[in-house]
Amino acid sequence: KNQVEQSPQSLIILEGKNCTLQCNYTVSPFSNLRWYKQDTGRGPVSLTIMTFSENTKSNGRYTATLDADTKQSSLHITASQLSDSASYICVVRGNSGGGADGLTFGKGTHLIIQP
Amino acid sequence: EAGVTQFPSHSVIEKGQTVTLRCDPISGHDNLYWYRRVMGKEIKFLLHFVKESKQDESGMPNNRFLAERTGGTYSTLKVQPAELEDSGVYFCASSQASIYNEQFFGPGTRLTVL
């Protein structure tokens, strides 16, 4: 069964600090992995997409890593800002098709940045 | 360019009533998806339209849910009659046909069934 597990479930850090969110998946065969940011009352917005051959990808202060061998990904946030407070959702796309074009969602990590 | 819009943003109804949710995808996006997130759980797929045709409705929980996309533009999702377990946030997403197939999400409709 395809699954995406995220940790921690929630995280509170001080403004300016760094943090790393984890995503482990069992989706096979693998196509790509996206990290989404979901602000309260909004829909998820894509931050990065990682394909099988990519190890690291950055988008401003966000850096995603992918280890396709261990089926793990991380999202590192540098110099956090209050606006980073949101839920971060890991979404893995498999190649076998199926509902939602084979997307499997994690439950997300709820990140709170405190001043 | 306008993003995916959904209406209403919130809906509170009593068990047994009917509710209709609406989604307007990004103009030109043939693919339209409905998802639901129940509190404490992950986002789950409901169904997928390609233009006006249902491509995959394997995620629809039961026959109380009816989705339509007449003319291949906006879509509606009707729940009739609503049950307590239907409460949650219903998201709509749309995408173009591309190798990355990024889905753009709407803000969601929060449905509460009392």
Side-chain angles (χ1 to χ4, degrees), chain B residues 17-83:
Chain B
Q17 290 186 320
T18 297
V19 64
T20 300
L21 314 181
R22 173 171 169 144
C23 168
D24 286 78
I26 293 173
S27 177
H29 282 191
D30 289 340
N31 295 292
L32 186 150
Y33 306 85
W34 282 100
Y35 296 91
R36 177 173 70 176
R37 184 169 192 169
V38 173
M39 185 178 295
K41 304 279 186 145
E42 67 273 21
I43 295 172
K44 287 274 182 74
F45 166 78
L46 295 178
L47 88 159
H48 170 203
F49 284 99
V50 177
K51 297 185 180 180
E52 68 276 8
S53 300
K54 290 176 184 176
Q55 180 76 12
D56 186 337
E57 53 185 329
S58 60
M60 295 287 262
N62 50 61
N63 59 9
R64 295 186 293 103
F65 289 74
L66 174 64
E68 294 180 323
R69 192 184 183 194
T70 306
T73 54
Y74 72 91
S75 175
T76 58
L77 179 65
K78 179 190 287 187
V79 185
Q80 178 182 28
E83 297 289 343

Side-chain angles (χ1 to χ4, degrees), chain A residues 34 36 38 41-44 46 49 51 89 93 98-101 103 105-107, chain B residues 33 35 37 40-43 45 48 56 58 91 99-103 105-107:
Chain A
R34 285 185 188 272
Y36 281 87
Q38 184 179 8
R42 301 285 189 97
S46 179
I49 178 173
T51 57
I89 303 172
R93 183 182 179 201
D101 287 338
L103 297 183
F105 291 75
K107 291 184 180 180
Chain B
Y33 306 85
Y35 296 91
R37 184 169 192 169
K41 304 279 186 145
E42 67 273 21
I43 295 172
F45 166 78
H48 170 203
D56 186 337
S58 60
F91 290 103
I99 58 172
Y100 291 110
N101 209 32
E102 178 178 357
Q103 296 183 22
F105 285 79

